[in-house]
Amino acid sequence: MSSSPSASASAAEIAHAAQRMLDGELAAFPTETVYGLGADAENPQAVAKIYAAKGRPSNHPVIVHIAPHGDVAYWAANVPPEAQLLIDAFWPGPLTLILKRAPHIVDTVSGGQDSIGIRCPSHPVAQALLAAFAAGKPNGQGGVAAPSANKFGQVSPTRAEHVRNEFPDEVAAGMPVLEGGASDVGIESTILDLSRLDRGAGPVLLRPGHISAAQIEAVLGVQVFAPDAAAPRASGTLKAHYAPRTPLELANEARMNDVLAGRNLPEGRVVLVAYGPQPAAADPRVQWQPVSADPARYAQALYGLLRDLDGQGYARIIVQAPPATDDWHAVNDRIGRAAAAFTLDTTGL
């Protein structure tokens, strides 16, 4: 079953998914970034089901999603002025803020740390689900813990069918997967650490995304720093992540020329994902796959493309390295982590 760009969950389906989470079960839902695998953030047993389904290490934190009317102060021990400025500027949207966790919030969502990641998604289905879930809570404060709805370390889902393919057993057992069309952003949210401002650390960019460091700096009027050794652990920041099952290689210009000439290729067909102009001729074992030279459009299509290519029997996916510029930072981060999952020696093939 495929989702179409106009597909959207009904009010009844959203209500059912919200009730499942209130009952301590899982539900998958669309956001503007990627599809999430959600559970009640205040129910440790429910959050544990996320970790079990994904095969995710228990010390790897998950992000708590709240509705636009949600109270950040319920989840965080304090909300610094910097956080409020960014909330006003970018929420609802693809920005996760790491804040000090409120004492009454269980540390299951933060991998045992004293911090918590919070965001408010802009996708209308996600907002409707979060509102329905919060309405079912006695105090009206509902947060949904939701990492990407894929097995740990694999390519994130940007369509409902990706989730169904990833979790057939859970779907067969009744897990709702809400339709919401293809994700508009296509890569995970920007993660910014504000949990250590009182100690003179930060703001620190833990994961790049659609909202850039420059945009954040323009709002805060201060520099955004790179992660330091004491930075909290955050979703999607392991060296190897976002990887397809087919070996993936990141290629510079010299390696691109080798590939096109058929030098140092594995047995079988390979696909070359490239944003430049298609060459007049290439080795017949190389399939050319064009992608947009615009970083936002490239990001939107990236995960869906990797999933599609993963099922076509290629011996290797070779990706042209994008420019090392700020506007490509998030894309380079995701491709670099995907390639890091494979150690490929291209000199002795």
Side-chain angles (χ1 to χ4, degrees):
M1 181 177 179
S2 297
S3 61
S4 67
S6 60
S8 188
S10 68
E13 290 168 331
I14 290 169
H16 172 66
Q19 188 59 54
R20 289 278 296 187
M21 290 192 295
L22 289 166
D23 293 340
E25 302 297 334
L26 302 180
F29 61 98
T31 79
E32 73 280 17
T33 58
V34 299
Y35 276 65
L37 185 64
D40 183 349
E42 294 185 90
N43 182 335
Q45 292 76 30
V47 175
K49 292 178 181 179
I50 295 176
Y51 285 93
K54 284 177 63 73
R56 185 185 182 96
S58 61
N59 67 347
H60 203 56
V62 292
I63 293 167
V64 175
H65 296 66
I66 63 174
H69 64 267
D71 183 5
V72 178
Y74 176 79
W75 302 93
N78 61 79
V79 182
E82 293 88 343
Q84 193 59 55
L85 286 171
L86 294 171
I87 288 168
D88 293 342
F90 298 117
W91 281 16
L95 175 66
T96 295
L97 298 178
I98 306 294
L99 303 172
K100 282 290 185 187
R101 177 172 48 81
H104 68 274
I105 301 299
V106 294
D107 66 1
T108 317
V109 294
S110 54
Q113 302 176 110
D114 65 356
S115 55
I116 187 171
I118 311 171
R119 93 173 184 96
C120 175
S122 63
H123 195 291
V125 172
Q127 291 196 2
L129 175 67
L130 292 166
F133 177 76
K137 286 285 192 175
N139 62 2
Q141 295 295 337
V144 172
S148 56
N150 54 276
K151 296 296 185 179
F152 185 71
Q154 302 296 315
V155 178
S156 299
T158 55
R159 298 195 295 270
E161 66 191 83
H162 296 160
V163 183
R164 297 189 192 96
N165 292 339
E166 197 89 356
F167 295 104
D169 294 342
E170 286 79 3
V171 171
M175 182 181 79
V177 180
L178 297 180
E179 290 278 359
S183 299
D184 288 336
V185 175
I187 58 173
E188 299 79 3
S189 62
T190 303
I191 300 181
L192 187 75
D193 177 29
L194 298 177
S195 68
R196 299 173 297 149
L197 294 176
D198 58 347
R199 287 177 273 164
V204 173
L205 184 67
L206 300 183
R207 181 176 70 185
H210 185 69
I211 295 173
S212 68
Q215 289 175 286
I216 293 168
E217 289 172 345
V219 171
L220 297 182
V222 297
Q223 181 182 353
V224 170
F225 297 94
D228 55 288
R233 297 184 303 278
S235 297
T237 55
L238 297 180
K239 180 179 179 181
H241 217 84
Y242 313 113
R245 291 170 176 82
T246 305
L248 185 146
E249 174 189 346
L250 196 56
N252 59 20
E253 185 176 356
R255 177 58 179 153
M256 288 271 293
N257 292 333
D258 279 350
V259 170
L260 292 170
R263 292 189 290 268
N264 297 323
L265 295 181
E267 292 293 328
R269 297 181 307 132
V270 303
V271 60
L272 180 57
V273 178
Y275 57 85
Q278 184 169 355
D283 187 280
R285 293 171 292 170
V286 179
Q287 173 69 42
W288 183 269
Q289 174 61 56
V291 286
S292 176
D294 174 76
R297 293 177 61 191
Y298 187 115
Q300 183 184 44
L302 175 61
Y303 290 155
L305 176 61
L306 289 180
R307 283 180 171 270
D308 290 345
L309 296 177
D310 219 6
Q312 295 182 28
Y314 291 109
R316 187 174 299 173
I317 300 170
I318 302 173
V319 180
Q320 179 184 11
T325 54
D326 287 346
D327 54 346
W328 285 93
H329 187 192
V331 168
N332 276 313
D333 174 82
R334 303 312 192 271
I335 296 174
R337 294 180 195 276
F342 307 97
T343 302
L344 299 172
D345 181 1
T346 62
T347 61
L349 292 172

